[in-house]
Amino acid sequence: MDNRPIGVFDSGLGGLTAVKELEKVLPGESLVYFGDTGRVPYGTKGREVIRRYARQDMDFLLRHGVKAVLAACGTVSSAAADIGAGLPVPYFDVVAPTARAAVRATENRRIGVLGTSATIHSGSYVKAIGELDGSIEVFPEACPLFVPLVENGCISPEDELVRIVVGRYLSPMRGAGVDTVILGCTHYPLLSRAIEQVMGAKVTLINSGREAAHALAAALEETGGLCAPGTKRRAEFYVTDAPENFSTVAELFLGHSVEGTRVDMTFD
């Protein structure tokens, strides 16, 4: 048994979709969440900048004594796939479990991938899916406007701006006839209803935060790394920008209110 908390980080608040799943599958586990809201989004930045930011995020979590780290960030998982190799605790990202889920789900062997510019340019999902099944066609699409929409609470399919942006990005995939779409950034599940409106109800959406959370939970269960029964649970949420809007946006992700704490960090 290991009573230390699980650490989760993201460039902003999208990683809360993974936290939501962890709360479901591991309700007794403590959590420390770090959202780098002062530097969001990561997806428009270069690879070395992303790597530097990810190291700093992971260092923050390690200072809080976590027993495992989940990079609930599609950009970090894709553009800095090896970033967790030297950590003293188990490290998980979103790409491998999400690719596996998409390959299991597709029936017509056509998978779409929505992601940040950095995720799509890395080719991470194309490679991961190809290694699992080389006969599957993959249709990637960079969606740089999705993260700003979500971070500002613009998620309703009735919102004209949301409809225009989602329709523009999804048009090539709809034309390609994909039957499975990977939401390759943990912000994107909040746009699921708008995406479903464009793609149709028969298309399966793969939530990368959910898949990563389930992979982490399975690993901790297998290795005996869960908290002892009866351990008092705690959940801490940290952000690097003003937390005034944190509770409002976090409630959209989690379905319940939480308080965020701003941390003043000196970045290299």
Side-chain angles (χ1 to χ4, degrees):
M1 295 294 179
D2 190 336
N3 292 338
R4 291 177 296 170
I6 296 167
V8 181
F9 77 91
D10 182 46
S11 62
L13 303 182
L16 292 172
T17 57
V19 170
K20 180 178 181 179
E21 294 304 318
L22 287 172
E23 289 180 338
K24 290 179 181 177
V25 297
L26 298 175
E29 294 291 315
S30 294
L31 298 165
V32 177
Y33 182 82
F34 179 77
D36 194 6
T37 51
R39 300 187 294 192
V40 67
Y42 286 6
T44 57
K45 297 175 173 64
R47 183 172 181 271
E48 290 308 311
V49 172
I50 294 166
R51 292 179 67 84
R52 185 169 75 249
Y53 288 3
R55 290 191 191 99
Q56 293 164 347
D57 299 348
M58 293 188 299
D59 286 344
F60 178 88
L61 292 175
L62 292 174
R63 291 198 298 271
H64 282 72
V66 299
K67 62 185 174 185
V69 170
L70 171 57
C73 176
T75 296
V76 170
S77 301
S78 298
D82 63 335
I83 198 71
L87 290 186
V89 299
Y91 172 81
F92 303 84
D93 68 23
V94 302
V95 173
T98 302
R100 288 194 297 269
V103 169
R104 289 194 302 268
T106 186
E107 295 181 359
N108 71 0
R109 316 186 84 70
R110 288 173 166 248
I111 297 175
V113 180
L114 303 176
T116 66
S117 297
T119 293
I120 298 305
H121 292 156
S122 75
S124 59
Y125 279 106
V126 175
K127 179 181 178 182
I129 291 169
E131 290 174 348
L132 293 167
D133 187 336
S135 70
I136 292 177
E137 291 185 85
V138 183
F139 301 85
E141 185 70 32
C143 308
L145 294 179
F146 276 7
V147 170
L149 282 176
V150 173
E151 291 278 333
N152 286 281
C154 298
I155 62 172
S156 171
E158 282 73 47
D159 186 310
E160 184 178 3
L161 178 60
V162 172
R163 289 202 308 271
I164 291 171
V165 173
V166 172
R168 177 176 176 180
Y169 287 145
L170 272 292
S171 179
M173 285 186 193
R174 186 172 182 179
V178 303
D179 73 345
T180 302
V181 175
I182 289 175
L183 306 180
C185 172
T186 48
H187 286 75
Y188 295 1
L190 268 74
L191 293 168
S192 291
R193 288 196 299 140
I195 292 169
E196 286 172 348
Q197 254 189 18
V198 173
M199 297 302 297
K202 293 184 178 180
V203 171
T204 301
L205 303 185
I206 306 297
N207 179 331
S208 57
R210 176 186 299 132
E211 300 304 329
H214 281 262
L216 184 152
L220 290 182
E221 289 172 356
E222 184 177 343
T223 59
L226 298 178
C227 287
T231 303
K232 185 177 181 180
R233 181 184 181 276
R234 63 187 175 92
E236 300 171 6
F237 299 86
Y238 298 94
V239 293
T240 55
D241 199 2
E244 284 79 7
N245 296 326
F246 172 81
S247 294
T248 300
V249 179
E251 191 165 354
L252 292 175
F253 284 89
L254 298 174
H256 61 81
S257 61
V258 295
E259 292 296 324
T261 300
R262 180 181 180 179
V263 290
D264 292 316
M265 298 177 66
T266 301
F267 298 113
D268 296 332

